[in-house]
Amino acid sequence: PPGVLFTSGSDLDSERARVAIVGTRRASDYGLRTAHSLGHDLAESGIEVVSGLALGIDAAAHAGALEGSGGRTPVVAVIGAGHHRPCPARNRGLARAVRAAGSVISEVPPGISSAPWRYPVRNRLIAGLVDVVVVVESASSGGSMSTVAEALARDRVVMAVPGSVGRRTAEGCHDL
């Protein structure tokens, strides 16, 4: 477990089921629609949606969860930077919406910017917070597969959404 967590928004409800939706930043329209729909439907059913606030699949899952929650189901974002500057800048409005509807969590102290090595650490937190990890579009290596490895090491359920045959961003899902 992390030595310390920095949170903003509401506290996590330890009794509520949580599902992570993760995937590529370079998502297809199919992947974005799928992540949005999964996020929406899970939140509407009272399940907390957790993701990493990255572009692509993460952002689509968060947006869907915010729409589906109706303010009843918290949404959780785990970031790889201090709360003052969630990355990427394009998702800062989304970070504010998630914070208002749930929690933004990081191991990174305020005032510290993101760095590439912080994302595997963030992925470890995502895997540790959830009951299930759903991968929507992923290459065979990268952040999503890092989250999968962390989830499997913690005996979490991992699910994958099949994608288009021959599409590089579906290879990881097909491998799973």
Side-chain angles (χ1 to χ4, degrees):
V4 64
L5 280 178
F6 299 92
T7 64
S8 57
S10 60
D11 292 333
L12 292 174
D13 179 353
S14 62
E15 300 300 314
R16 193 180 291 269
R18 284 189 204 96
V19 172
I21 301 174
V22 299
T24 184
R25 292 182 308 265
R26 295 175 197 88
S28 68
D29 288 339
Y30 164 77
L32 295 172
R33 284 191 315 273
T34 301
H36 187 278
S37 177
L38 285 170
H40 179 280
D41 293 352
L42 287 167
E44 189 175 54
S45 297
I47 297 171
E48 283 186 8
V49 174
V50 179
S51 202
L53 202 65
L55 297 173
I57 297 299
D58 291 16
H62 282 310
L66 289 167
E67 287 178 21
S69 74
R72 297 178 313 277
T73 307
V75 179
V76 180
V78 182
I79 59 173
H83 285 259
H84 76 295
R85 204 172 210 153
C87 192
R90 215 175 354 173
N91 284 351
R92 290 194 181 137
L94 182 59
R96 284 190 294 276
V98 168
R99 187 177 300 114
S103 304
V104 176
I105 299 170
S106 181
E107 272 187 279
V108 182
I112 304 296
S113 297
S114 66
W117 65 268
R118 295 190 196 282
Y119 293 104
V121 173
R122 175 201 67 182
N123 297 341
R124 178 185 110 265
L125 287 177
I126 291 171
L129 284 170
V130 302
D131 305 295
V132 176
V133 173
V134 179
V135 184
V136 179
E137 285 194 335
S138 174
S140 292
S141 63
S144 301
M145 292 300 124
S146 165
T147 306
V148 165
E150 294 290 348
L152 293 174
R154 288 161 181 74
D155 204 27
R156 303 298 198 256
V157 173
V158 174
M159 299 176 161
V161 176
S164 180
V165 173
R167 187 170 173 88
R168 185 179 174 282
T169 57
E171 290 174 357
C173 293
H174 294 161
D175 291 345
L176 291 171

